[in-house]
Amino acid sequence: MRSKWRYAVAGGLAGIANGFFGGGGGSVFVPLLTGYCKLDQRKAFATSVAVILPLCALSAGIYLFRGGLDATAALPYLIGGAAGGWVGGKWFRGVKMPWLKRAFGLLLIYGGVRSFL
């Protein structure tokens, strides 16, 4: 039962990050799943994708309802993101774990640096 609470807390923190920043819940969720919930890295990545998709849809709906989302302008990004997600999902099993960790770490560093510039 204790692990279910850990999962709920991790999901709640990812949802807060996603709703507050309009995205980025996965960058919070993967480290929480690996460190706090003790999932292995590959399962954490896959679980993050499965959880963040509905959270993003919910956040997008709220932004759309409140007038903060231009769905027409978002469409090209959605198409590109869907294609990239499909390709990434296909490559996911073939990439060795140390490279996935490095790529994720670089993505987090890049995002952090961009936030300050």
Side-chain angles (χ1 to χ4, degrees):
M1 187 60 146
R2 182 177 173 191
S3 64
K4 288 185 180 183
W5 280 108
R6 285 178 180 243
Y7 298 153
V9 168
L13 291 172
I16 289 170
N18 206 61
F20 190 68
F21 298 114
S27 61
V28 172
F29 202 40
V30 170
L32 283 171
L33 287 174
T34 56
Y36 184 61
C37 298
K38 307 298 184 211
L39 284 181
D40 68 76
Q41 195 85 26
R42 200 170 291 273
K43 280 189 178 179
F45 283 126
T47 302
S48 175
V49 170
V51 171
I52 295 302
L53 175 64
L55 292 178
C56 286
L58 177 63
S59 295
I62 291 170
Y63 282 111
L64 181 64
F65 180 72
R66 293 190 175 172
L69 174 64
D70 181 356
T72 306
L75 189 60
Y77 300 104
L78 177 61
I79 293 168
W86 184 79
V87 170
K90 291 288 187 185
W91 287 348
F92 182 68
R93 284 267 182 228
V95 178
K96 300 220 183 289
M97 189 51 58
W99 289 105
L100 279 175
K101 287 181 178 182
R102 289 179 189 127
F104 186 67
L106 287 173
L107 182 67
L108 289 176
I109 291 169
Y110 172 77
V113 169
R114 292 284 301 169
S115 293
F116 286 108
L117 297 179

